[in-house]
Amino acid sequence: MMLSRRGFLGKAGGCGLALGLGLPAASRPTHFAPDLAPALARHVLNRCSFGPRPGDVARVAAMGVDAWLGSQLNPARIDDRACDKRTRRLETLSCPTGELFEYKPEVLWSELASGKLLRACYSERQLFEVMVDFWSDHFNIDHSKGDCAWLKTADDREVIRAHALGHFPDLLRASALGPAMLWYLDGRMNHRRTPNEQPNENYARELLELHTLGIDGGYTQADVMEAARCLTGWTVRSDTWFGKGRVEFDPARHDGGPKTVLGESIPAGLDAGDVDRLLAIACAHPSTGRFLARKLCARFIGPEAPEEAVSAVAARYADTGGDIKAMLRVIFATPAFRKPGSPQFKRPFHYVASVMRATLADVQHTEPLLEYLGRMGHAPFQYPTPDGYPESGEAWHGTLFWRWRLLESLDRGAVEGVSVDWDGIARNAGGRAAITRDWIGIAAENAGEVGRLALLLAGPDFQGY
């Protein structure tokens, strides 16, 4: 019998009670005993991927979470041809920057967002995709602003993906001198051709506040203005088709005088070299390592990550010159990372990808899912301000209706271009009780009381990670 939307939501609410809120605390997945290895594997998969697929928990438990994390930290060694096959039709993802201007903005956004979603759903390099998502927010660029509509595709490929697991100073420099960021935060319009002309401080402020030191990192307004002077002269070619999108430095538009940023002197005459001195000063400031450490710990441990974990990650940043993999290894070795704690509420993109992965959904057309993400307020690359989409669960509690609406449609087979073999995934997993445990770690004996498998994904235990 087909469920009405009202009926589905009613059952989903009841399901929530049955699967989480109404169960004794010992039955919820907040304790690892007695099946320590599978529970730890599920916990790590939830934190370091977009969610386990059926069978992933058993596979990672068998190989060990340390071995799995080690493999994920070396994504180039992971065979990802199956995912590549799904994204191959998105031809703009590999276009040279200049050729991107031959496409309409809506085509570029659709293919860029589709690529992000397909990789989250199907890539074997899950930790890499999680870090791409993390840095995309850290260095947020709104696709709709000016030439960003054409340049964000190159930014995603040549800035975010190229350095997501590399060294932070390299990532920062690639972003600072990337054409999309120069457009988004007005760096292309930052010049000082006469002593009385004021540099545009927009990017300089976000560089210190959002990208490096953090809002309480110890910089002053004077540091912002001096940083803006360092950045004068850089621009993006946009007035001709030949070389459009190319980043250039014009000495005639640069303030070549001496500067002082964060107490460090930058001598006169470095010209284009000012940006390297500025970024080196910002990267070496103790606040930068601590700011990044706190954000990474919040993502992988939780917003209340212990100070000793944050300090250890910040120390590794300083020791390694910003090696992102080294920082992650410190996080993964902390007791706090492996302790279940309180689940964080999945952001809509995370939730949608985790549903597709849990159900082994065959996504042939991404547009319907992107429309759902738009309804939930989390369409990729469309956040207007430079701080990126919020991480906190409170910001996303209002999206529950559209999560349930998506599940109802999936349950009816009514999401165009997305198919789920509900009976098949339960059968292949060894029955409904087995798939219940695989999805949410709940005691299997309750599975038989659940009418439709889609309802399991509406419960609070699946909404958290």
Short mmCIF file of all heavy atoms in Angstrom, two decimals, residues 292-344:
data_model
loop_
_atom_site.label_atom_id
_atom_site.label_comp_id
_atom_site.label_asym_id
_atom_site.label_seq_id
_atom_site.Cartn_x
_atom_site.Cartn_y
_atom_site.Cartn_z
N LEU A 292 43.13 26.42 12.76
CA LEU A 292 42.88 25.26 11.90
C LEU A 292 42.69 23.99 12.72
O LEU A 292 41.83 23.15 12.42
CB LEU A 292 44.03 25.08 10.91
CG LEU A 292 44.24 26.22 9.91
CD1 LEU A 292 45.49 25.98 9.08
CD2 LEU A 292 43.02 26.39 9.01
N ALA A 293 43.50 23.84 13.77
CA ALA A 293 43.39 22.65 14.62
C ALA A 293 42.00 22.58 15.25
O ALA A 293 41.38 21.51 15.31
CB ALA A 293 44.46 22.68 15.70
N ARG A 294 41.50 23.72 15.70
CA ARG A 294 40.18 23.72 16.36
C ARG A 294 39.09 23.36 15.35
O ARG A 294 38.16 22.61 15.66
CB ARG A 294 39.90 25.08 16.99
CG ARG A 294 38.65 25.09 17.86
CD ARG A 294 38.53 26.38 18.65
NE ARG A 294 39.60 26.57 19.60
CZ ARG A 294 39.72 25.91 20.76
NH1 ARG A 294 38.80 25.01 21.09
NH2 ARG A 294 40.72 26.13 21.56
N LYS A 295 39.19 23.89 14.13
CA LYS A 295 38.18 23.58 13.13
C LYS A 295 38.21 22.10 12.74
O LYS A 295 37.17 21.46 12.59
CB LYS A 295 38.38 24.44 11.88
CG LYS A 295 37.98 25.90 12.05
CD LYS A 295 37.95 26.64 10.72
CE LYS A 295 36.78 26.22 9.85
NZ LYS A 295 36.65 27.09 8.65
N LEU A 296 39.41 21.56 12.57
CA LEU A 296 39.52 20.15 12.19
C LEU A 296 39.03 19.24 13.33
O LEU A 296 38.35 18.24 13.09
CB LEU A 296 40.97 19.82 11.83
CG LEU A 296 41.45 20.35 10.47
CD1 LEU A 296 42.96 20.24 10.35
CD2 LEU A 296 40.76 19.61 9.32
N CYS A 297 39.39 19.59 14.56
CA CYS A 297 38.93 18.79 15.69
C CYS A 297 37.41 18.85 15.82
O CYS A 297 36.76 17.85 16.14
CB CYS A 297 39.60 19.26 16.99
SG CYS A 297 41.34 18.77 17.14
N ALA A 298 36.84 20.03 15.56
CA ALA A 298 35.38 20.15 15.63
C ALA A 298 34.73 19.26 14.58
O ALA A 298 33.69 18.64 14.84
CB ALA A 298 34.98 21.61 15.41
N ARG A 299 35.33 19.15 13.40
CA ARG A 299 34.75 18.33 12.33
C ARG A 299 34.85 16.84 12.65
O ARG A 299 33.92 16.08 12.41
CB ARG A 299 35.44 18.64 11.00
CG ARG A 299 35.07 17.70 9.84
CD ARG A 299 33.58 17.73 9.54
NE ARG A 299 33.19 16.80 8.51
CZ ARG A 299 33.02 15.47 8.70
NH1 ARG A 299 33.22 14.94 9.90
NH2 ARG A 299 32.64 14.71 7.71
N PHE A 300 36.01 16.41 13.15
CA PHE A 300 36.23 14.96 13.29
C PHE A 300 36.00 14.43 14.71
O PHE A 300 35.81 13.24 14.90
CB PHE A 300 37.64 14.61 12.83
CG PHE A 300 37.82 14.71 11.34
CD1 PHE A 300 38.42 15.83 10.78
CD2 PHE A 300 37.34 13.74 10.49
CE1 PHE A 300 38.57 15.96 9.40
CE2 PHE A 300 37.48 13.84 9.11
CZ PHE A 300 38.09 14.96 8.56
N ILE A 301 36.04 15.31 15.70
CA ILE A 301 35.79 14.88 17.08
C ILE A 301 34.45 15.42 17.56
O ILE A 301 33.62 14.71 18.11
CB ILE A 301 36.92 15.34 18.02
CG1 ILE A 301 38.24 14.67 17.62
CG2 ILE A 301 36.58 15.01 19.47
CD1 ILE A 301 39.44 15.16 18.42
N GLY A 302 34.23 16.71 17.34
CA GLY A 302 33.00 17.35 17.79
C GLY A 302 33.30 18.76 18.26
O GLY A 302 34.45 19.11 18.53
N PRO A 303 32.26 19.57 18.37
CA PRO A 303 32.48 20.98 18.75
C PRO A 303 33.08 21.15 20.14
O PRO A 303 33.66 22.19 20.44
CB PRO A 303 31.07 21.59 18.65
CG PRO A 303 30.13 20.43 18.70
CD PRO A 303 30.85 19.28 18.09
N GLU A 304 32.93 20.13 20.99
CA GLU A 304 33.50 20.21 22.33
C GLU A 304 34.79 19.40 22.42
O GLU A 304 35.10 18.81 23.46
CB GLU A 304 32.48 19.69 23.36
CG GLU A 304 31.13 20.39 23.29
CD GLU A 304 31.24 21.88 23.54
OE1 GLU A 304 32.11 22.28 24.34
OE2 GLU A 304 30.47 22.65 22.93
N ALA A 305 35.55 19.37 21.36
CA ALA A 305 36.81 18.62 21.36
C ALA A 305 37.72 19.10 22.48
O ALA A 305 37.82 20.31 22.73
CB ALA A 305 37.51 18.80 20.02
N PRO A 306 38.39 18.18 23.18
CA PRO A 306 39.21 18.58 24.33
C PRO A 306 40.40 19.45 23.91
O PRO A 306 40.94 19.28 22.82
CB PRO A 306 39.67 17.24 24.91
CG PRO A 306 39.49 16.24 23.82
CD PRO A 306 38.36 16.73 22.99
N GLU A 307 40.78 20.33 24.81
CA GLU A 307 41.86 21.27 24.51
C GLU A 307 43.18 20.55 24.24
O GLU A 307 43.98 21.00 23.43
CB GLU A 307 42.03 22.26 25.66
CG GLU A 307 40.98 23.35 25.70
CD GLU A 307 40.95 24.19 24.43
OE1 GLU A 307 42.03 24.63 23.98
OE2 GLU A 307 39.85 24.36 23.87
N GLU A 308 43.40 19.41 24.91
CA GLU A 308 44.67 18.70 24.66
C GLU A 308 44.74 18.19 23.23
O GLU A 308 45.83 18.15 22.63
CB GLU A 308 44.87 17.56 25.65
CG GLU A 308 43.73 16.55 25.71
CD GLU A 308 42.75 16.86 26.82
OE1 GLU A 308 42.54 18.04 27.09
OE2 GLU A 308 42.21 15.90 27.39
N ALA A 309 43.60 17.83 22.65
CA ALA A 309 43.60 17.40 21.25
C ALA A 309 43.89 18.57 20.33
O ALA A 309 44.70 18.46 19.39
CB ALA A 309 42.24 16.77 20.90
N VAL A 310 43.24 19.71 20.58
CA VAL A 310 43.47 20.90 19.76
C VAL A 310 44.94 21.31 19.84
O VAL A 310 45.58 21.62 18.82
CB VAL A 310 42.56 22.05 20.22
CG1 VAL A 310 42.88 23.32 19.45
CG2 VAL A 310 41.09 21.67 20.03
N SER A 311 45.50 21.30 21.05
CA SER A 311 46.91 21.70 21.23
C SER A 311 47.85 20.75 20.50
O SER A 311 48.84 21.18 19.90
CB SER A 311 47.25 21.75 22.72
OG SER A 311 46.48 22.73 23.38
N ALA A 312 47.56 19.47 20.55
CA ALA A 312 48.42 18.49 19.89
C ALA A 312 48.40 18.67 18.37
O ALA A 312 49.44 18.59 17.69
CB ALA A 312 47.98 17.07 20.26
N VAL A 313 47.22 18.95 17.82
CA VAL A 313 47.11 19.15 16.37
C VAL A 313 47.80 20.46 15.97
O VAL A 313 48.50 20.51 14.94
CB VAL A 313 45.62 19.16 15.95
CG1 VAL A 313 45.48 19.45 14.46
CG2 VAL A 313 44.97 17.82 16.28
N ALA A 314 47.62 21.51 16.78
CA ALA A 314 48.29 22.78 16.49
C ALA A 314 49.81 22.61 16.54
O ALA A 314 50.54 23.20 15.72
CB ALA A 314 47.84 23.84 17.47
N ALA A 315 50.29 21.83 17.49
CA ALA A 315 51.74 21.59 17.58
C ALA A 315 52.25 20.85 16.35
O ALA A 315 53.34 21.16 15.84
CB ALA A 315 52.05 20.79 18.85
N ARG A 316 51.47 19.91 15.84
CA ARG A 316 51.91 19.18 14.64
C ARG A 316 51.90 20.11 13.42
O ARG A 316 52.77 20.00 12.54
CB ARG A 316 51.01 17.97 14.40
CG ARG A 316 51.46 17.07 13.24
CD ARG A 316 52.90 16.58 13.42
NE ARG A 316 53.08 15.82 14.63
CZ ARG A 316 52.93 14.50 14.72
NH1 ARG A 316 52.61 13.83 13.64
NH2 ARG A 316 53.10 13.89 15.87
N TYR A 317 50.95 21.03 13.38
CA TYR A 317 50.94 22.05 12.31
C TYR A 317 52.27 22.82 12.33
O TYR A 317 52.91 23.01 11.29
CB TYR A 317 49.77 23.00 12.50
CG TYR A 317 49.78 24.18 11.55
CD1 TYR A 317 49.14 24.12 10.31
CD2 TYR A 317 50.45 25.37 11.88
CE1 TYR A 317 49.15 25.21 9.44
CE2 TYR A 317 50.48 26.45 11.01
CZ TYR A 317 49.83 26.36 9.79
OH TYR A 317 49.87 27.44 8.92
N ALA A 318 52.67 23.26 13.53
CA ALA A 318 53.90 24.04 13.64
C ALA A 318 55.12 23.20 13.29
O ALA A 318 56.05 23.66 12.60
CB ALA A 318 54.02 24.61 15.06
N ASP A 319 55.15 21.95 13.75
CA ASP A 319 56.32 21.08 13.52
C ASP A 319 56.50 20.74 12.04
O ASP A 319 57.62 20.55 11.58
CB ASP A 319 56.17 19.78 14.31
CG ASP A 319 56.25 20.02 15.81
OD1 ASP A 319 56.73 21.10 16.21
OD2 ASP A 319 55.80 19.14 16.57
N THR A 320 55.40 20.62 11.33
CA THR A 320 55.46 20.13 9.94
C THR A 320 55.28 21.24 8.91
O THR A 320 55.25 20.94 7.71
CB THR A 320 54.37 19.06 9.71
OG1 THR A 320 53.08 19.66 9.91
CG2 THR A 320 54.54 17.88 10.66
N GLY A 321 55.11 22.46 9.35
CA GLY A 321 54.87 23.54 8.39
C GLY A 321 53.52 23.45 7.71
O GLY A 321 53.36 23.85 6.57
N GLY A 322 52.55 22.89 8.44
CA GLY A 322 51.17 22.88 7.92
C GLY A 322 50.83 21.65 7.12
O GLY A 322 49.98 21.72 6.20
N ASP A 323 51.44 20.50 7.43
CA ASP A 323 51.13 19.25 6.74
C ASP A 323 49.74 18.77 7.18
O ASP A 323 49.54 18.37 8.34
CB ASP A 323 52.20 18.20 7.09
CG ASP A 323 52.02 16.92 6.29
OD1 ASP A 323 50.87 16.54 5.99
OD2 ASP A 323 53.04 16.29 5.95
N ILE A 324 48.79 18.80 6.27
CA ILE A 324 47.40 18.48 6.62
C ILE A 324 47.25 17.01 7.00
O ILE A 324 46.56 16.66 7.97
CB ILE A 324 46.46 18.85 5.45
CG1 ILE A 324 46.50 20.36 5.21
CG2 ILE A 324 45.04 18.38 5.72
CD1 ILE A 324 45.88 20.80 3.89
N LYS A 325 47.91 16.12 6.29
CA LYS A 325 47.83 14.69 6.64
C LYS A 325 48.38 14.46 8.05
O LYS A 325 47.81 13.68 8.83
CB LYS A 325 48.64 13.85 5.65
CG LYS A 325 48.01 13.66 4.30
CD LYS A 325 48.87 12.72 3.47
CE LYS A 325 48.34 12.55 2.07
NZ LYS A 325 49.20 11.65 1.26
N ALA A 326 49.49 15.13 8.38
CA ALA A 326 50.09 14.94 9.70
C ALA A 326 49.12 15.42 10.79
O ALA A 326 49.02 14.79 11.86
CB ALA A 326 51.41 15.71 9.78
N MET A 327 48.43 16.50 10.53
CA MET A 327 47.45 17.00 11.51
C MET A 327 46.32 15.99 11.69
O MET A 327 45.86 15.73 12.81
CB MET A 327 46.91 18.35 11.06
CG MET A 327 47.97 19.44 10.99
SD MET A 327 47.39 20.92 10.15
CE MET A 327 46.30 21.62 11.39
N LEU A 328 45.85 15.41 10.58
CA LEU A 328 44.77 14.43 10.68
C LEU A 328 45.22 13.18 11.43
O LEU A 328 44.44 12.60 12.20
CB LEU A 328 44.28 14.07 9.28
CG LEU A 328 43.53 15.16 8.52
CD1 LEU A 328 43.18 14.70 7.10
CD2 LEU A 328 42.26 15.58 9.26
N ARG A 329 46.47 12.78 11.21
CA ARG A 329 46.95 11.59 11.92
C ARG A 329 46.92 11.82 13.43
O ARG A 329 46.62 10.89 14.19
CB ARG A 329 48.38 11.26 11.46
CG ARG A 329 48.46 10.66 10.07
CD ARG A 329 49.85 10.08 9.78
NE ARG A 329 49.93 9.54 8.44
CZ ARG A 329 50.42 10.20 7.40
NH1 ARG A 329 50.91 11.43 7.58
NH2 ARG A 329 50.45 9.66 6.20
N VAL A 330 47.25 13.04 13.87
CA VAL A 330 47.19 13.34 15.30
C VAL A 330 45.75 13.22 15.79
O VAL A 330 45.48 12.63 16.85
CB VAL A 330 47.75 14.75 15.58
CG1 VAL A 330 47.51 15.13 17.04
CG2 VAL A 330 49.24 14.80 15.27
N ILE A 331 44.82 13.78 15.03
CA ILE A 331 43.40 13.68 15.43
C ILE A 331 42.97 12.23 15.54
O ILE A 331 42.34 11.81 16.52
CB ILE A 331 42.51 14.42 14.41
CG1 ILE A 331 42.77 15.93 14.47
CG2 ILE A 331 41.03 14.13 14.67
CD1 ILE A 331 42.03 16.72 13.40
N PHE A 332 43.32 11.43 14.53
CA PHE A 332 42.86 10.04 14.49
C PHE A 332 43.47 9.19 15.62
O PHE A 332 42.96 8.12 15.93
CB PHE A 332 43.18 9.41 13.14
CG PHE A 332 42.49 10.08 11.97
CD1 PHE A 332 43.01 10.01 10.68
CD2 PHE A 332 41.32 10.81 12.17
CE1 PHE A 332 42.37 10.63 9.62
CE2 PHE A 332 40.68 11.45 11.12
CZ PHE A 332 41.20 11.36 9.84
N ALA A 333 44.59 9.68 16.18
CA ALA A 333 45.23 8.93 17.27
C ALA A 333 44.73 9.33 18.64
O ALA A 333 45.06 8.68 19.63
CB ALA A 333 46.75 9.15 17.20
N THR A 334 43.93 10.38 18.72
CA THR A 334 43.46 10.83 20.04
C THR A 334 42.35 9.92 20.56
O THR A 334 41.51 9.44 19.79
CB THR A 334 42.92 12.27 19.99
OG1 THR A 334 41.79 12.31 19.09
CG2 THR A 334 43.98 13.25 19.52
N PRO A 335 42.31 9.70 21.87
CA PRO A 335 41.19 8.94 22.45
C PRO A 335 39.85 9.61 22.17
O PRO A 335 38.84 8.93 21.99
CB PRO A 335 41.51 8.94 23.95
CG PRO A 335 42.98 9.15 24.03
CD PRO A 335 43.33 10.06 22.87
N ALA A 336 39.84 10.94 22.11
CA ALA A 336 38.58 11.65 21.89
C ALA A 336 37.97 11.31 20.54
O ALA A 336 36.75 11.23 20.41
CB ALA A 336 38.82 13.15 22.00
N PHE A 337 38.81 11.09 19.51
CA PHE A 337 38.30 10.75 18.18
C PHE A 337 37.62 9.39 18.20
O PHE A 337 36.60 9.18 17.54
CB PHE A 337 39.44 10.76 17.17
CG PHE A 337 39.07 10.18 15.84
CD1 PHE A 337 38.23 10.86 14.97
CD2 PHE A 337 39.56 8.93 15.45
CE1 PHE A 337 37.88 10.32 13.73
CE2 PHE A 337 39.22 8.39 14.22
CZ PHE A 337 38.38 9.09 13.36
N ARG A 338 38.17 8.46 18.96
CA ARG A 338 37.64 7.09 18.95
C ARG A 338 36.53 6.87 19.97
O ARG A 338 35.90 5.82 20.00
CB ARG A 338 38.79 6.10 19.19
CG ARG A 338 39.75 6.11 18.02
CD ARG A 338 41.07 5.46 18.32
NE ARG A 338 41.98 5.69 17.20
CZ ARG A 338 42.34 4.79 16.30
NH1 ARG A 338 41.89 3.55 16.41
NH2 ARG A 338 43.17 5.09 15.33
N LYS A 339 36.28 7.88 20.78
CA LYS A 339 35.21 7.78 21.76
C LYS A 339 33.90 8.20 21.09
O LYS A 339 33.85 9.23 20.42
CB LYS A 339 35.50 8.70 22.94
CG LYS A 339 34.52 8.61 24.08
CD LYS A 339 34.96 9.56 25.19
CE LYS A 339 33.95 9.54 26.33
NZ LYS A 339 34.34 10.51 27.39
N PRO A 340 32.81 7.43 21.23
CA PRO A 340 31.59 7.76 20.50
C PRO A 340 31.02 9.13 20.81
O PRO A 340 30.70 9.88 19.91
CB PRO A 340 30.62 6.63 20.91
CG PRO A 340 31.23 5.97 22.07
CD PRO A 340 32.70 6.20 22.02
N GLY A 341 30.95 9.52 22.08
CA GLY A 341 30.45 10.84 22.43
C GLY A 341 29.05 11.11 21.90
O GLY A 341 28.27 10.21 21.61
N SER A 342 28.72 12.39 21.76
CA SER A 342 27.41 12.79 21.25
C SER A 342 27.47 12.96 19.75
O SER A 342 28.30 13.73 19.25
CB SER A 342 26.98 14.10 21.90
OG SER A 342 26.89 13.95 23.30
N PRO A 343 26.59 12.26 19.00
CA PRO A 343 26.61 12.42 17.53
C PRO A 343 26.32 13.85 17.12
O PRO A 343 25.54 14.55 17.76
CB PRO A 343 25.51 11.47 17.08
CG PRO A 343 25.26 10.55 18.21
CD PRO A 343 25.58 11.32 19.45
N GLN A 344 26.97 14.28 16.05
CA GLN A 344 26.68 15.57 15.46
C GLN A 344 25.59 15.41 14.39
O GLN A 344 25.51 14.38 13.74
CB GLN A 344 27.94 16.17 14.84
CG GLN A 344 29.09 16.34 15.83
CD GLN A 344 30.32 16.92 15.16
OE1 GLN A 344 30.30 18.05 14.71
NE2 GLN A 344 31.38 16.14 15.09
#
